[in-house]
């Protein structure tokens, strides 16, 4: 567990000052900043200036999974500015989602009854 050992008026909001404790015993001191670095007992384990940010990979439309939101018919028709067809597909999707939710709920209730 992490405990803040310093009153909030003494530190900036992005600073971390505290300790990791097991029951009431302090296991180690924690200092740092959630926007910069993190140290445990003075040893820096994470430093934003020294790590390379993760690269974000966005697949092309051709490589996107069938479940990707770019394949939603309502969005496709909306992008084409055909509001009537977009609304039609949106309603169709909502009907499917409601039916799916109902089936899941019925299954959950059935499983509750079977456990009793």
């Amino acid at each position: 567990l992490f405990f803040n050992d310093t009153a909030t008026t003494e530190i900036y909001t992005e600073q971390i000052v505290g300790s990791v404790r097991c029951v009431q015993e302090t296991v180690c001191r924690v200092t740092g900043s959630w926007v910069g670095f993190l140290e445990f007992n003075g040893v820096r384990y994470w430093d934003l200036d020294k790590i390379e940010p993760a690269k974000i990979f966005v697949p092309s439309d051709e490589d996107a999974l069938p479940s990707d939101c770019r394949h939603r018919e309502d969005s496709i028709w909306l992008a084409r500015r055909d509001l009537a067809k977009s609304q039609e597909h949106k309603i169709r999707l909502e009907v499917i989602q409601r039916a799916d939710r109902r089936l899941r709920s019925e299954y959950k209730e059935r499983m509750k009854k079977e456990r009793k």
Side-chain angles (χ1 to χ4, degrees), residues 21 25 43 70 73 89 107-108:
R21 296 183 185 166
E25 182 182 347
V43 178
R70 290 176 280 180
E73 287 286 329
H89 286 283
Y107 176 79
K108 186 177 178 180

Side-chain angles (χ1 to χ4, degrees), residues 61-78:
D61 288 345
E62 298 82 36
D63 294 332
L65 294 173
S67 59
D68 191 293
C69 67
R70 290 176 280 180
H71 298 302
R72 282 185 49 171
E73 287 286 329
D74 61 329
S75 297
I76 292 168
W77 288 108
L78 185 61

